[in-house]
Coordinates of all heavy atoms in Angstrom, one line a residue:
M1 N 122.8 101.2 103.9 CA 123.0 99.8 103.5 C 123.0 99.7 102.0 O 122.3 100.4 101.3 CB 121.9 98.9 104.1 CG 122.0 98.6 105.6 SD 120.9 97.4 106.1 CE 120.2 98.3 107.5
E2 N 123.7 98.7 101.5 CA 123.8 98.5 100.1 C 123.1 97.2 99.7 O 123.1 96.2 100.5 CB 125.2 98.4 99.6 CG 125.4 98.4 98.2 CD 126.9 98.6 97.8 OE1 127.3 99.8 97.7 OE2 127.6 97.6 97.6
A3 N 122.5 97.2 98.6 CA 121.8 95.9 98.1 C 122.9 94.9 97.8 O 124.0 95.2 97.7 CB 121.1 96.3 96.8
P4 N 122.5 93.6 97.8 CA 123.4 92.6 97.5 C 124.0 92.7 96.1 O 123.4 93.4 95.2 CB 122.6 91.3 97.6 CG 121.2 91.7 97.5 CD 121.1 93.1 97.9
K5 N 125.1 92.0 95.9 CA 125.7 92.0 94.5 C 125.4 90.7 93.8 O 125.2 89.7 94.4 CB 127.2 92.1 94.7 CG 127.7 93.4 95.2 CD 129.2 93.5 95.2 CE 129.7 94.9 95.7 NZ 131.1 95.0 95.7
C6 N 125.3 90.8 92.5 CA 125.1 89.7 91.6 C 126.3 88.7 91.8 O 127.5 89.2 91.6 CB 124.9 90.1 90.2 SG 124.9 88.7 89.0
P7 N 126.2 87.5 92.1 CA 127.3 86.6 92.2 C 128.0 86.3 90.9 O 129.2 85.9 90.9 CB 126.7 85.3 92.7 CG 125.3 85.3 92.4 CD 124.9 86.8 92.3
S8 N 127.4 86.7 89.8 CA 128.0 86.4 88.5 C 128.8 87.7 88.0 O 130.0 87.6 87.7 CB 127.0 86.1 87.4 OG 127.5 85.8 86.2
C9 N 128.2 88.8 87.9 CA 128.8 90.0 87.3 C 129.3 91.0 88.5 O 130.0 91.9 88.2 CB 127.9 90.8 86.4 SG 126.5 91.6 87.2
E10 N 128.9 90.7 89.7 CA 129.3 91.4 90.9 C 128.8 92.9 90.9 O 129.3 93.7 91.7 CB 130.8 91.3 91.1 CG 131.2 89.9 91.4 CD 132.7 89.8 91.8 OE1 133.3 90.8 92.0 OE2 133.1 88.7 92.0
K11 N 127.8 93.2 90.1 CA 127.2 94.6 90.1 C 126.2 94.6 91.3 O 125.5 93.6 91.6 CB 126.6 94.9 88.8 CG 127.6 95.2 87.7 CD 127.0 95.9 86.5 CE 128.1 96.1 85.5 NZ 127.6 96.9 84.4
V12 N 126.0 95.7 91.9 CA 125.0 95.9 93.0 C 123.6 95.8 92.4 O 123.3 96.4 91.3 CB 125.2 97.3 93.7 CG1 124.1 97.5 94.7 CG2 126.6 97.4 94.3
L13 N 122.8 95.0 93.0 CA 121.5 94.7 92.5 C 120.4 95.7 93.0 O 119.6 95.5 93.8 CB 121.0 93.3 92.9 CG 121.9 92.1 92.3 CD1 121.6 90.8 93.0 CD2 121.6 92.0 90.8
T14 N 120.5 96.9 92.4 CA 119.5 97.9 92.7 C 118.2 97.6 92.1 O 117.2 98.1 92.5 CB 120.0 99.3 92.3 OG1 120.3 99.3 90.9 CG2 121.3 99.7 93.1
I15 N 118.2 96.8 91.0 CA 117.0 96.4 90.3 C 117.2 94.9 90.1 O 118.2 94.4 89.8 CB 116.8 97.1 89.0 CG1 116.5 98.6 89.2 CG2 115.6 96.4 88.2 CD1 116.5 99.4 87.9
V16 N 116.1 94.1 90.3 CA 116.1 92.7 90.0 C 114.9 92.3 89.2 O 113.8 92.8 89.4 CB 116.0 91.9 91.4 CG1 115.9 90.4 91.1 CG2 117.2 92.2 92.2
W17 N 115.0 91.5 88.2 CA 113.9 91.0 87.4 C 113.4 89.7 88.1 O 114.1 88.9 88.5 CB 114.4 90.6 86.0 CG 114.8 91.7 85.1 CD1 114.5 93.0 85.3 CD2 115.6 91.6 84.0 NE1 115.1 93.7 84.3 CE2 115.8 92.9 83.5 CE3 116.2 90.5 83.4 CZ2 116.5 93.1 82.3 CZ3 117.0 90.7 82.2 CH2 117.1 92.0 81.7
E18 N 112.0 89.7 88.4 CA 111.4 88.6 88.9 C 110.1 88.2 88.1 O 109.3 89.1 87.9 CB 111.0 88.9 90.4 CG 110.3 87.6 91.1 CD 110.1 87.9 92.5 OE1 109.0 88.4 92.9 OE2 111.0 87.5 93.4
N19 N 110.1 87.0 87.7 CA 108.9 86.5 86.9 C 108.3 85.3 87.6 O 109.0 84.5 88.1 CB 109.4 86.1 85.5 CG 109.9 87.2 84.7 OD1 109.2 88.3 84.6 ND2 111.0 87.1 84.1
T20 N 107.0 85.3 87.5 CA 106.2 84.2 88.1 C 105.7 83.4 86.9 O 105.1 84.0 86.0 CB 105.0 84.6 88.9 OG1 105.5 85.4 90.0 CG2 104.3 83.4 89.5
H21 N 105.8 82.1 86.9 CA 105.3 81.2 85.8 C 104.0 80.6 86.2 O 103.9 80.0 87.2 CB 106.4 80.2 85.5 CG 107.7 80.7 85.0 ND1 107.9 81.0 83.7 CD2 108.7 81.1 85.7 CE1 109.1 81.5 83.6 NE2 109.6 81.6 84.7
I22 N 103.0 80.8 85.3 CA 101.7 80.3 85.5 C 101.3 79.4 84.3 O 101.5 79.9 83.2 CB 100.7 81.4 85.8 CG1 101.1 82.2 87.0 CG2 99.3 80.8 86.0 CD1 100.2 83.5 87.2
D23 N 100.8 78.3 84.5 CA 100.3 77.5 83.4 C 98.8 77.7 83.1 O 98.0 77.9 84.0 CB 100.5 76.0 83.7 CG 102.0 75.6 83.8 OD1 102.8 76.2 83.2 OD2 102.3 74.7 84.6
Y24 N 98.5 77.8 81.8 CA 97.1 77.9 81.4 C 96.7 76.7 80.6 O 97.5 76.2 79.7 CB 96.9 79.2 80.6 CG 97.0 80.4 81.4 CD1 98.2 81.1 81.6 CD2 95.9 81.0 82.0 CE1 98.3 82.2 82.3 CE2 96.0 82.1 82.8 CZ 97.2 82.7 83.0 OH 97.3 83.8 83.8
K25 N 95.5 76.1 80.8 CA 95.0 75.0 80.1 C 93.9 75.4 79.2 O 92.9 76.1 79.7 CB 94.6 73.9 81.2 CG 94.2 72.6 80.6 CD 93.9 71.7 81.7 CE 93.5 70.3 81.2 NZ 93.2 69.4 82.2
W26 N 93.8 74.9 78.0 CA 92.8 75.1 77.1 C 91.5 74.3 77.5 O 91.7 73.1 77.7 CB 93.2 74.8 75.7 CG 92.1 75.0 74.6 CD1 91.4 74.0 74.0 CD2 91.5 76.2 74.2 NE1 90.5 74.6 73.1 CE2 90.6 75.9 73.3 CE3 91.8 77.6 74.5 CZ2 89.8 76.9 72.6 CZ3 91.0 78.5 73.9 CH2 90.0 78.2 73.0
L27 N 90.4 74.9 77.6 CA 89.1 74.2 77.9 C 88.3 74.3 76.6 O 87.6 75.3 76.4 CB 88.4 74.9 79.1 CG 89.3 75.0 80.4 CD1 88.5 75.8 81.4 CD2 89.6 73.6 80.9
P28 N 88.3 73.2 75.8 CA 87.6 73.2 74.5 C 86.1 73.4 74.6 O 85.5 74.1 73.8 CB 88.0 71.9 73.9 CG 88.5 71.0 75.0 CD 89.0 72.0 76.1
K29 N 85.5 72.9 75.7 CA 84.0 73.0 75.8 C 83.6 74.5 76.1 O 82.5 74.9 75.8 CB 83.5 72.0 76.8 CG 83.6 70.6 76.4 CD 83.0 69.7 77.4 CE 83.1 68.3 77.0 NZ 82.5 67.3 78.0
K30 N 84.5 75.2 76.7 CA 84.2 76.6 77.2 C 84.8 77.6 76.2 O 84.4 78.7 76.2 CB 84.7 76.8 78.6 CG 84.0 76.0 79.6 CD 84.5 76.3 81.0 CE 83.7 75.5 82.0 NZ 84.1 75.9 83.4
G31 N 85.8 77.1 75.4 CA 86.4 78.0 74.4 C 87.4 79.0 74.9 O 87.5 80.1 74.4
F32 N 88.0 78.7 76.1 CA 89.0 79.7 76.6 C 90.0 79.0 77.4 O 89.8 77.8 77.8 CB 88.3 80.8 77.4 CG 87.6 80.4 78.6 CD1 88.2 80.2 79.8 CD2 86.2 80.2 78.5 CE1 87.5 79.8 81.0 CE2 85.5 79.8 79.7 CZ 86.1 79.6 80.9
Y33 N 91.1 79.7 77.8 CA 92.1 79.2 78.7 C 91.8 79.5 80.1 O 91.3 80.6 80.4 CB 93.5 79.8 78.3 CG 94.1 79.3 77.1 CD1 93.9 80.0 75.9 CD2 94.9 78.2 77.1 CE1 94.5 79.6 74.7 CE2 95.5 77.7 75.9 CZ 95.3 78.5 74.7 OH 95.9 78.0 73.6
A34 N 92.1 78.6 81.0 CA 91.9 78.8 82.5 C 93.2 78.5 83.1 O 94.0 77.7 82.7 CB 90.8 77.9 83.0
E35 N 93.4 79.2 84.2 CA 94.7 79.0 84.9 C 94.7 77.6 85.5 O 93.7 77.2 86.1 CB 94.8 80.0 86.1 CG 96.1 80.0 86.8 CD 96.3 81.1 87.8 OE1 95.8 82.3 87.5 OE2 96.8 80.8 88.9
D36 N 95.7 76.9 85.2 CA 95.9 75.5 85.6 C 96.5 75.6 87.0 O 96.6 76.6 87.6 CB 96.7 74.7 84.6 CG 96.5 73.2 84.7 OD1 95.6 72.8 85.4 OD2 97.3 72.5 84.0
T37 N 97.0 74.4 87.5 CA 97.6 74.4 88.8 C 98.7 75.4 88.8 O 99.6 75.3 88.0 CB 98.1 73.0 89.0 OG1 97.0 72.0 88.8 CG2 98.7 72.8 90.4
Y38 N 98.7 76.2 89.8 CA 99.7 77.3 90.0 C 101.0 76.6 90.5 O 101.0 75.9 91.5 CB 99.2 78.3 91.0 CG 100.3 79.4 91.3 CD1 100.8 80.2 90.4 CD2 100.9 79.4 92.6 CE1 101.8 81.2 90.6 CE2 101.9 80.3 92.9 CZ 102.3 81.2 91.9 OH 103.3 82.1 92.2
T39 N 102.0 76.7 89.7 CA 103.3 76.0 90.1 C 104.1 76.8 91.1 O 104.9 76.3 91.8 CB 104.2 75.8 88.9 OG1 104.4 77.0 88.2 CG2 103.4 74.8 87.9
G40 N 103.9 78.2 91.1 CA 104.6 79.0 92.1 C 106.1 79.2 91.7 O 106.8 79.6 92.6
D41 N 106.4 78.8 90.5 CA 107.8 79.0 90.2 C 108.2 80.4 90.0 O 107.5 81.2 89.3 CB 108.1 78.3 88.8 CG 108.0 76.8 88.9 OD1 108.1 76.3 90.0 OD2 107.8 76.1 87.9
L42 N 109.2 80.9 90.7 CA 109.7 82.2 90.6 C 111.1 82.2 89.9 O 111.9 81.3 90.1 CB 110.0 82.9 92.0 CG 108.8 83.3 92.7 CD1 109.2 83.8 94.1 CD2 108.0 84.4 92.0
E43 N 111.3 83.1 89.1 CA 112.6 83.3 88.3 C 113.1 84.6 88.7 O 112.5 85.6 88.4 CB 112.3 83.1 86.8 CG 113.6 83.2 86.0 CD 113.3 83.1 84.6 OE1 112.6 84.0 84.0 OE2 113.8 82.2 83.9
N44 N 114.3 84.7 89.3 CA 114.9 86.0 89.6 C 116.2 86.0 88.8 O 117.0 85.1 88.9 CB 115.3 86.0 91.1 CG 114.1 85.9 92.0 OD1 113.2 86.7 91.9 ND2 114.1 84.9 92.9
R45 N 116.3 87.2 88.1 CA 117.5 87.3 87.2 C 118.1 88.7 87.4 O 117.4 89.7 87.7 CB 117.1 87.1 85.8 CG 116.6 85.8 85.5 CD 117.1 85.3 84.1 NE 116.8 83.9 83.9 CZ 117.7 83.0 84.1 NH1 118.9 83.2 84.5 NH2 117.4 81.6 83.9
C46 N 119.4 88.8 87.1 CA 120.2 90.0 87.2 C 119.8 90.8 85.9 O 120.0 90.2 84.8 CB 121.7 89.8 87.3 SG 122.7 91.2 87.1
P47 N 119.5 92.1 86.0 CA 119.2 92.9 84.8 C 120.5 93.2 84.0 O 120.4 93.6 82.8 CB 118.5 94.1 85.3 CG 119.0 94.3 86.7 CD 119.2 92.9 87.2
N48 N 121.6 93.0 84.6 CA 122.9 93.4 83.9 C 123.4 92.2 83.1 O 123.8 92.4 82.0 CB 123.9 93.8 84.9 CG 123.5 95.0 85.7 OD1 123.2 96.1 85.2 ND2 123.4 94.8 87.0
C49 N 123.4 91.0 83.7 CA 124.0 89.8 83.0 C 123.0 88.7 82.8 O 123.4 87.7 82.2 CB 125.2 89.4 83.7 SG 124.9 88.6 85.3
E50 N 121.8 88.8 83.3 CA 120.8 87.9 83.2 C 121.1 86.6 84.0 O 120.4 85.5 83.8 CB 120.4 87.6 81.8 CG 119.8 88.8 81.1 CD 119.3 88.5 79.7 OE1 119.0 87.4 79.4 OE2 119.1 89.5 78.9
A51 N 122.0 86.6 85.0 CA 122.3 85.5 85.8 C 121.1 85.1 86.7 O 120.4 85.9 87.1 CB 123.5 85.8 86.6
D52 N 121.0 83.8 87.0 CA 120.0 83.3 87.9 C 120.3 83.7 89.3 O 121.5 83.5 89.7 CB 120.0 81.8 87.8 CG 118.9 81.1 88.7 OD1 118.0 81.8 89.2 OD2 119.1 79.9 89.0
L53 N 119.4 84.3 90.0 CA 119.6 84.8 91.3 C 118.9 84.0 92.4 O 118.6 84.5 93.5 CB 119.3 86.3 91.4 CG 120.0 87.2 90.5 CD1 119.4 88.6 90.6 CD2 121.5 87.2 90.9
S54 N 118.5 82.8 92.1 CA 117.7 82.0 93.0 C 118.4 81.7 94.3 O 117.8 81.6 95.4 CB 117.2 80.7 92.4 OG 118.3 79.9 92.0
E55 N 119.7 81.7 94.3 CA 120.5 81.4 95.6 C 120.5 82.7 96.4 O 120.6 82.7 97.6 CB 121.9 81.0 95.3 CG 121.9 79.5 94.8 CD 123.3 79.0 94.6 OE1 124.2 79.6 95.2 OE2 123.4 78.0 93.9
V56 N 120.5 83.9 95.7 CA 120.5 85.2 96.5 C 119.1 85.4 97.1 O 119.0 86.0 98.2 CB 120.9 86.3 95.5 CG1 120.9 87.7 96.3 CG2 122.3 86.1 94.9
F57 N 118.1 85.1 96.3 CA 116.7 85.3 96.8 C 115.9 84.0 96.8 O 115.0 83.8 96.0 CB 116.1 86.3 95.8 CG 116.8 87.6 95.7 CD1 117.5 87.9 94.6 CD2 116.8 88.6 96.7 CE1 118.2 89.1 94.4 CE2 117.5 89.8 96.6 CZ 118.2 90.0 95.4
P58 N 116.2 83.1 97.7 CA 115.5 81.8 97.7 C 114.0 81.9 98.0 O 113.3 81.0 97.6 CB 116.3 81.0 98.7 CG 116.9 82.0 99.6 CD 117.2 83.1 98.7
D59 N 113.6 82.9 98.7 CA 112.2 83.1 99.0 C 111.6 84.2 98.3 O 110.5 84.8 98.6 CB 112.1 83.4 100.5 CG 112.6 82.2 101.4 OD1 112.3 81.1 101.0 OD2 113.3 82.5 102.4
G60 N 112.2 84.7 97.2 CA 111.7 85.8 96.4 C 112.3 87.1 96.8 O 112.8 87.3 98.0
V61 N 112.3 88.1 95.9 CA 112.9 89.4 96.2 C 112.2 90.1 97.3 O 112.8 90.7 98.2 CB 112.9 90.2 94.9 CG1 113.4 91.6 95.2 CG2 113.8 89.5 93.8
C62 N 110.8 90.0 97.3 CA 110.1 90.7 98.3 C 110.3 90.2 99.8 O 110.0 90.9 100.7 CB 108.6 90.7 98.0 SG 107.9 89.1 98.1
N63 N 110.8 89.0 99.9 CA 111.1 88.5 101.3 C 112.5 88.7 101.7 O 113.0 88.1 102.7 CB 110.8 87.0 101.3 CG 109.3 86.8 101.2 OD1 108.5 87.5 101.8 ND2 108.9 85.9 100.3
Y64 N 113.3 89.4 101.0 CA 114.8 89.6 101.3 C 114.9 91.0 102.1 O 114.3 92.0 101.7 CB 115.6 89.7 100.0 CG 117.0 89.9 100.2 CD1 117.9 88.8 100.4 CD2 117.6 91.2 100.3 CE1 119.3 89.0 100.6 CE2 118.9 91.4 100.5 CZ 119.7 90.3 100.7 OH 121.1 90.5 100.8
F65 N 115.7 90.9 103.1 CA 116.2 92.2 103.7 C 117.5 92.0 104.5 O 117.9 90.9 104.7 CB 115.0 92.7 104.7 CG 115.0 92.0 106.0 CD1 115.5 92.6 107.1 CD2 114.4 90.7 106.1 CE1 115.4 91.9 108.4 CE2 114.4 90.0 107.3 CZ 114.9 90.7 108.5
I66 N 118.1 93.0 104.8 CA 119.4 93.0 105.5 C 119.2 93.4 106.9 O 118.6 94.4 107.2 CB 120.4 93.9 104.8 CG1 120.7 93.4 103.4 CG2 121.7 93.9 105.6 CD1 121.6 94.3 102.6
K67 N 119.7 92.6 107.8 CA 119.7 92.9 109.2 C 121.1 92.8 109.8 O 121.7 91.7 109.7 CB 118.7 91.9 110.0 CG 118.5 92.2 111.4 CD 117.5 91.3 112.0 CE 117.3 91.7 113.5 NZ 116.3 90.8 114.1
K68 N 121.5 93.9 110.4 CA 122.9 93.9 111.0 C 124.0 93.4 110.0 O 124.8 92.6 110.3 CB 122.9 93.1 112.3 CG 122.1 93.6 113.3 CD 122.2 92.8 114.6 CE 121.3 93.3 115.7 NZ 121.3 92.5 116.9
D69 N 123.8 93.9 108.7 CA 124.8 93.6 107.7 C 124.8 92.1 107.3 O 125.8 91.6 106.7 CB 126.2 94.1 108.0 CG 126.3 95.5 108.1 OD1 125.5 96.2 107.4 OD2 127.0 96.1 108.9
K70 N 123.8 91.3 107.7 CA 123.8 89.9 107.4 C 122.5 89.6 106.6 O 121.4 89.9 107.1 CB 123.8 89.1 108.7 CG 123.8 87.6 108.4 CD 123.8 86.8 109.7 CE 123.7 85.3 109.3 NZ 123.5 84.5 110.5
P71 N 122.6 89.2 105.3 CA 121.5 88.9 104.5 C 120.7 87.8 105.2 O 121.2 86.8 105.7 CB 122.0 88.4 103.2 CG 123.4 89.0 103.1 CD 123.9 89.0 104.6
T72 N 119.4 87.9 105.2 CA 118.5 86.9 105.7 C 117.1 87.1 105.1 O 116.9 87.9 104.2 CB 118.4 87.1 107.3 OG1 117.6 86.1 107.8 CG2 117.9 88.5 107.7
T73 N 116.1 86.4 105.6 CA 114.8 86.5 105.1 C 114.0 87.2 106.2 O 114.4 87.2 107.4 CB 114.1 85.2 104.8 OG1 114.2 84.3 105.9 CG2 114.8 84.6 103.6
K74 N 112.8 87.8 105.9 CA 112.0 88.5 106.9 C 111.5 87.5 108.0 O 111.2 86.4 107.7 CB 110.7 89.1 106.2 CG 111.0 90.2 105.3 CD 109.7 90.7 104.7 CE 109.9 91.9 103.8 NZ 108.7 92.3 103.2
P75 N 111.5 88.0 109.2 CA 111.0 87.1 110.3 C 109.5 87.0 110.1 O 108.8 87.8 109.6 CB 111.3 87.9 111.5 CG 111.5 89.3 111.1 CD 111.9 89.3 109.6
D76 N 109.0 85.9 110.6 CA 107.5 85.6 110.6 C 106.7 86.5 111.5 O 107.1 86.9 112.4 CB 107.2 84.1 110.9 CG 107.8 83.2 109.7 OD1 107.9 83.7 108.6 OD2 108.1 82.1 110.1

């Protein structure tokens, strides 16, 4: 089986960049940053053209797999 292609540059996505965004809030009385409300924002990008891949991986890269040549997400 072959990995999906980037919809922008059409190269096979053998590698995907995925970043999670976390906010940190300064706590002046304690003198350090603490993790604020986790937003859970994932950013998936093509390493070739840096295109957004959120439509290819709506549930994140780790939840993607191919079954019978049809892209889908992992069953529960």
Side-chain angles (χ1 to χ4, degrees):
M1 283 189 232
E2 190 171 271
K5 291 183 179 181
C6 172
S8 182
C9 70
E10 297 190 4
K11 290 193 177 187
V12 176
L13 295 167
T14 55
I15 295 174
V16 176
W17 292 340
E18 182 173 87
N19 294 312
T20 303
H21 296 271
I22 301 171
D23 295 331
Y24 290 90
K25 184 177 181 179
W26 177 250
L27 303 174
K29 291 183 181 180
K30 295 184 178 183
F32 62 85
Y33 287 93
E35 190 173 317
D36 201 11
T37 306
Y38 174 69
T39 58
D41 293 338
L42 284 178
E43 179 182 63
N44 300 303
R45 297 216 171 264
C46 173
N48 302 301
C49 70
E50 298 186 17
D52 178 18
L53 299 173
S54 58
E55 289 185 18
V56 179
F57 305 105
D59 297 319
V61 176
C62 66
N63 292 316
Y64 180 90
F65 78 106
I66 296 174
K67 183 176 182 180
K68 296 183 182 177
D69 298 326
K70 181 180 177 187
T72 184
T73 55
K74 288 183 183 176
D76 292 334

